[in-house]
Amino acid sequence: MLEFDDIQHILITRVPALTGRYEFLSFKSAAAGRDWLAAISEKVQSAAQVRAGPTQDARWVTVACTWNGLRALGLDEKSLASFPEEFKQGMAARAEMLGDTGPNAPAQWAGGLASTDLHAIAILFAKDAAERGRCQAEHEKLLAKAKGVEVLSSLDLEATPPFDYAHDHFGYRDRLSQPVIEGSGEEPTPGSGAPLKPGEFILGYPDEDGPPANQPQPAVLSKNGSYMAYRRLEEHVGKFRDFLREHGKTPEEQELLAAKLMGRWRSGAPLVLAPDKDDPALGADPKRNNDFNYKEMDPHGYAVPLGSHIRRMNPRDTAANINRRRMIRRGATYGPPLPEGAPDDGVERGIAAFVICASLVRQFEFAQNVWINDRNFHELGNERDPIIGTQDGTLEFKIPKRPVRRKITGLPAFTTVRGGAYFFLPGLKALRYLASLGKGAA
Amino acid sequence: MSDATKKEDWTKPAAMAIPKEGYFKVEQGRYGPTFPKTPANYGFTIIAKIKPGREAAIREYGKKIEQTIRDLPDGLAVLKLHYLRWVLFDIGKDTHFMYQGIFDTDFDKYTEDAVALFGKYGINTVFENLEGFPEDWKTNAQSFVKFVREHQRPSFLEYGEYPYVSAEEIKKALRLKAAFSDALDQMQ
């Protein structure tokens, strides 16, 4: 039922890449943009292609456009108007509601991402640095031919060592809880819930409420595409480690505090299943590391604080309407790792990730506005997400504990939003349609 | 508004006059400007004309919702409500429906959850008796949200005898009182 040969691979598959590069592009003319799109579309792999032989590939390409980019390509006004309001406005215009204020505000963003000149992104994931270099050179050649397509900025991605499992610069194991799309052939890991209707993530299919609504026009754009919220999130590793040392006397206490902020030990082991002591084998075991709930297993948050990152980002059985709030995450880390014990070197490092969903306002923006930044989430009163919430030093983090809870006041910001954008991720036919705009039939 | 919310003091009854737009300065929520927290917390007042001849149907749904909540007391927990009021009244020959709520979080935050609950518990059917209500609301939550925002009438004045106190805080205080009273009994 899912048209795997028309869906860009990033929606369905996670590729075994250790490096990558994002290039943010601006079209100086519609013709140049279309020429570039026509050429790059040939490099974009469908989900079907990647599923057929991901191990033989060394690079994976994804292309997506902003609303301004669709306009720059010459899409007509009627079609432009059919896209959802939040996508038309773009992430920078929605900053206040998203919590992107102060140092996180679009005025501070890197790479021209807040500019209306941002039209498209080319996402490259590569097996290694050599392959990335080769692809980068190829793309430069392509851009040289398509005069009038300008690179606003780029970002190189690097996995952080050790490479045997995915984790961020803080050391937390990543990619543990992903929704599964019905009909994708994937089996959810225990505890991850039943597969969700494809329309939650892919345009043109039924969603959890029934037939799709508010789809972009014409019909070719309304099938097999999606929306992506891009977030470039700097991680202040030095500050994070200082905080752990300041609030934990022993290395064990520091590890426990790190786990309380996240809801999992850095090994990935969930606190619900390993409340007192880390269990790295549990953390690494996909059959067990996501198999828990909150309502029965930890209603008061004695294991996982109510305000911890994973309890906010996926409240599981303690949220209403949860199946309409799920998101697919893709992305990677960037910047050099900060060696343990080294003082902060001031070099930017972090996560550059995409949240993929069929409705930015219902899924991504809800998570950002409510789960991450509602100070009164779960009646917490004066908290935001301790890892990625908008923190200005005035909020707190409460750790339920008997007989009396622990309250850490003046929580610093461990992350800063350095950029972001909303993209439309077209299906392959839609990419070709966009590339052919203005040519006779259109 | 922001000054007032900083000094939330439940011991001091407070009133707040609100500009015509319904807010002091525009703070965007996901679906448009959010309405401020007042001494009577957050709230909405939705007023719409009912379709001719639907009054009895609307009154009938009052009983349905009564039964629903009796069976499922936590059913509306996500809305963080204090009170809801459903009112029917006439203007000339037309009957209007007023739906008023007082709750503890700005409505925009949980709108879609509210829509989903309405569907689940039958509140939707009340709305279906209103003129202009979108027919595809079940599969198009955004059209529901749009209807609600278009029919929202902001207050120009709100008052709280115990201002800014959340329903959860009130319930906690009552639970504590009950527990304390029980503890005193145990010590007799």
Side-chain angles (χ1 to χ4, degrees):
Chain A
M1 179 182 104
L2 296 179
E3 295 171 12
F4 292 117
D5 55 351
D6 195 44
I7 298 170
Q8 291 203 46
H9 67 87
I10 196 168
L11 242 164
I12 303 283
T13 54
R14 193 185 281 291
V15 294
L18 281 181
T19 67
R21 183 176 169 88
Y22 304 153
E23 294 199 353
F24 298 91
L25 305 165
S26 190
F27 306 142
K28 297 298 160 198
S29 76
R34 292 174 202 148
D35 287 349
W36 171 80
L37 196 58
I40 194 87
S41 295
E42 288 171 23
K43 312 284 180 192
V44 173
Q45 290 116 309
S46 68
Q49 282 169 310
V50 170
R51 283 156 73 101
T55 48
Q56 297 137 33
D57 295 333
R59 64 104 183 107
W60 301 269
V61 176
T62 300
V63 172
C65 295
T66 63
W67 188 71
N68 289 313
L70 295 174
R71 165 167 274 159
L73 287 168
L75 193 62
D76 63 273
E77 290 300 323
K78 189 166 162 255
S79 177
L80 286 168
S82 69
F83 282 85
E85 187 56 33
E86 70 279 8
F87 173 67
K88 286 187 233 173
Q89 291 181 14
M91 187 183 281
R94 315 272 291 174
E96 187 190 344
M97 178 269 301
L98 294 171
D100 296 344
T101 53
N104 308 286
Q108 318 285 333
W109 286 0
L113 297 192
S115 159
T116 51
D117 292 338
L118 173 63
H119 291 155
I121 183 174
I123 302 168
L124 168 74
F125 289 123
K127 204 154 221 173
D128 50 43
E131 179 63 12
R132 176 178 64 198
R134 188 190 69 78
C135 295
Q136 188 183 334
E138 287 292 314
H139 195 222
E140 275 165 23
K141 275 191 238 163
L142 199 162
L143 288 169
K145 268 191 270 172
K147 286 210 186 332
V149 178
E150 190 181 286
V151 180
L152 286 178
S153 64
S154 60
L155 184 70
D156 280 331
L157 310 165
E158 318 284 350
T160 50
F163 299 126
D164 52 342
Y165 70 100
H167 54 94
D168 71 352
H169 284 282
F170 295 143
Y172 292 109
R173 179 187 285 266
D174 201 359
R175 304 177 186 175
L176 288 161
S177 190
Q178 287 276 10
V180 167
I181 302 173
E182 194 178 289
S184 69
E186 266 179 71
E187 280 295 313
T189 57
S192 298
L196 299 177
K197 297 283 181 224
E200 292 297 315
F201 311 103
I202 314 172
L203 298 182
Y205 295 88
D207 61 28
E208 292 283 317
D209 265 7
N214 305 315
Q215 304 282 295
Q217 297 303 319
V220 64
L221 298 180
S222 71
K223 193 85 199 242
N224 299 323
S226 193
Y227 296 98
M228 299 199 304
Y230 172 63
R231 300 293 272 176
R232 170 168 165 178
L233 215 55
E234 179 176 5
E235 296 184 295
H236 306 291
V237 177
K239 203 197 272 184
F240 179 73
R241 290 177 185 162
D242 289 347
F243 174 85
L244 296 182
R245 276 191 291 270
E246 187 189 332
H247 294 275
K249 286 192 229 40
T250 63
E252 290 73 28
E253 277 185 29
Q254 291 164 21
E255 270 314 308
L256 180 62
L257 178 56
K260 291 288 186 183
L261 294 173
M262 176 57 67
R264 292 179 183 271
W265 297 90
R266 287 197 267 199
S267 71
L271 279 172
V272 173
L273 302 178
D276 305 313
K277 200 170 166 293
D278 190 10
D279 182 349
L282 169 65
D285 181 357
K287 291 273 171 241
R288 296 188 290 145
N289 65 19
N290 208 31
D291 195 9
F292 60 93
N293 67 33
Y294 295 125
K295 209 189 267 176
E296 282 108 43
M297 296 171 81
D298 189 29
H300 302 291
Y302 287 116
V304 179
L306 299 175
S308 64
H309 178 69
I310 68 162
R311 200 158 179 159
R312 281 177 174 269
M313 291 307 292
N314 182 6
R316 294 171 185 247
D317 55 341
T318 58
N321 220 5
I322 186 89
N323 286 353
R324 307 230 66 201
R325 308 289 193 200
R326 303 302 307 280
M327 293 161 276
I328 292 171
R329 287 173 297 140
R330 299 280 186 256
T333 49
Y334 67 94
L338 185 68
E340 198 58 53
D344 205 319
D345 51 9
V347 176
E348 188 187 334
R349 53 176 63 80
I351 298 176
F354 301 93
V355 169
I356 303 178
C357 53
S359 170
L360 291 163
V361 68
R362 168 165 53 81
Q363 291 157 290
F364 170 74
E365 290 190 343
F366 175 85
Q368 192 66 36
N369 182 243
V370 179
W371 283 349
I372 296 172
N373 279 328
D374 184 356
R375 283 189 296 176
N376 207 26
F377 178 77
H378 280 334
E379 315 301 329
L380 288 165
N382 194 26
E383 292 192 23
R384 282 180 173 148
D385 187 301
I387 309 281
I388 62 172
T390 310
Q391 298 287 349
D392 59 4
T394 65
L395 304 180
E396 57 198 32
F397 182 68
K398 293 180 277 291
I399 304 173
K401 200 173 146 191
R402 287 194 177 98
V404 185
R405 71 185 183 193
R406 180 174 184 198
K407 182 161 96 177
I408 296 174
T409 53
L411 205 69
F414 299 125
T415 54
T416 302
V417 179
R418 297 303 309 272
Y422 288 157
F423 294 102
F424 172 57
L425 177 77
L428 295 179
K429 277 195 222 91
L431 275 181
R432 288 194 286 274
Y433 168 79
L434 292 169
S436 69
L437 286 172
K439 285 185 186 147
Chain B
M1 187 273 303
S2 47
D3 283 343
T5 50
K6 269 176 209 152
K7 288 180 262 156
E8 293 182 1
D9 178 1
W10 64 269
T11 64
K12 207 172 147 201
M16 184 186 281
I18 300 159
K20 196 169 179 188
E21 299 73 32
Y23 40 81
F24 293 86
K25 71 177 179 65
V26 182
E27 282 182 41
Q28 290 295 336
R30 285 182 301 136
Y31 290 106
T34 57
F35 299 103
K37 188 178 186 185
T38 76
N41 294 324
Y42 293 98
F44 59 68
T45 303
I46 294 157
I47 299 173
K49 206 192 306 188
I50 72 168
K51 293 174 182 166
R54 298 292 182 89
E55 181 171 347
I58 292 179
R59 292 193 184 277
E60 197 50 40
Y61 276 108
K63 292 178 197 152
K64 182 177 171 186
I65 287 163
E66 177 183 341
Q67 187 59 45
T68 303
I69 299 303
R70 191 179 298 141
D71 297 343
L72 248 180
D74 294 335
L76 298 180
V78 65
L79 304 181
K80 303 180 185 297
L81 282 158
H82 290 254
Y83 299 106
L84 287 176
R85 288 190 154 173
W86 282 265
V87 179
L88 287 171
F89 61 98
D90 294 337
I91 301 177
K93 274 181 270 169
D94 299 322
T95 303
H96 286 69
F97 168 81
M98 180 170 81
Y99 179 35
Q100 231 178 357
I102 293 178
F103 43 84
D104 292 324
T105 184
D106 81 78
F107 188 66
D108 235 36
K109 278 200 158 70
Y110 294 89
T111 333
E112 299 117 337
D113 289 346
V115 173
L117 282 178
F118 294 167
K120 205 162 142 196
Y121 299 139
I123 296 174
N124 64 294
T125 31
V126 175
F127 277 78
E128 279 170 359
N129 294 303
L130 304 176
E131 287 193 353
F133 188 69
E135 278 171 18
D136 68 340
W137 71 273
K138 274 185 190 164
T139 55
N140 187 358
Q142 288 186 32
S143 66
F144 196 126
V145 173
K146 189 163 168 269
F147 177 86
V148 166
R149 288 197 78 99
E150 281 170 0
H151 291 77
Q152 148 77 357
R153 294 281 154 185
S155 309
F156 68 89
L157 178 65
E158 295 197 353
Y159 172 80
E161 177 68 22
Y162 42 92
Y164 306 111
V165 180
S166 74
E168 192 53 42
E169 284 170 283
I170 291 167
K171 288 196 279 183
K172 257 188 202 170
L174 292 174
R175 276 197 297 266
L176 196 64
K177 187 179 159 193
F180 192 57
S181 153
D182 187 47
L184 291 177
D185 288 346
Q186 300 302 320
M187 295 191 325
Q188 300 301 312

